[in-house]
Amino acid sequence: MKANKTVIAMAIVAAAASTRAVAQTAEPSYKGDPDVYRVIFEDANFRVIEAIRKVGVRDKLHGHPLPSVVYTLTDCKTKMYGANGRTSESSMRAGHANAVPIVAAHSAENVGSTDCRQLFVEKK
């Protein structure tokens, strides 16, 4: 029984380490996929990133290393792909804002019928 617990604990540690390795290598959105994300303002306190995901586009693996707020400019239906393999879908209406926590690594796909435009405001 003790050997089984040790094997399970080692597997958990290995899984956590591999997740951290992915997290450490995921570039911030604007570096990870500059075709989708573009810095439109930056100073010592804030960074504003414009995101435009065209219909059917799945962006490249990236992270959000700082807490931020996302403001949705157009209606967006998005499928999110976590680094752990989990997926989820969300729909946000134009004019909606919400907090975005630190995200180590993920990608997002526009599964809606129109281009998705959003602004991310990061506090440094």
Side-chain angles (χ1 to χ4, degrees):
M1 188 67 133
K2 185 177 179 185
N4 286 343
K5 287 181 181 178
T6 302
V7 170
I8 291 170
M10 289 174 58
I12 290 170
V13 169
S18 67
T19 300
R20 265 183 262 162
V22 169
Q24 291 173 353
T25 59
E27 294 280 357
S29 59
Y30 59 94
K31 290 182 179 178
D33 197 341
D35 292 334
V36 173
Y37 300 94
R38 177 174 71 100
V39 175
I40 60 173
F41 173 82
E42 184 168 12
D43 68 12
N45 300 305
F46 296 97
R47 179 181 297 123
V48 179
I49 302 164
E50 178 184 44
I52 302 174
R53 275 186 308 284
K54 297 196 179 289
V55 174
V57 166
R58 178 175 172 181
D59 57 25
K60 295 177 180 114
L61 185 71
H62 66 277
H64 298 277
L66 299 169
S68 59
V69 172
V70 62
Y71 180 76
T72 303
L73 299 167
T74 60
D75 291 350
C76 295
K77 185 172 181 185
T78 305
K79 184 171 185 178
M80 304 296 277
Y81 298 86
N84 60 5
R86 292 187 182 160
T87 62
S88 63
E89 286 195 20
S90 67
S91 293
M92 292 198 295
R93 308 281 293 161
H96 180 79
N98 64 297
V100 177
I102 293 172
V103 177
H106 75 150
S107 65
E109 180 181 7
N110 180 352
V111 294
S113 58
T114 61
D115 291 352
C116 177
R117 295 187 63 224
Q118 297 173 307
L119 294 176
F120 290 82
V121 180
E122 298 177 341
K123 179 156 179 25
K124 294 181 175 183

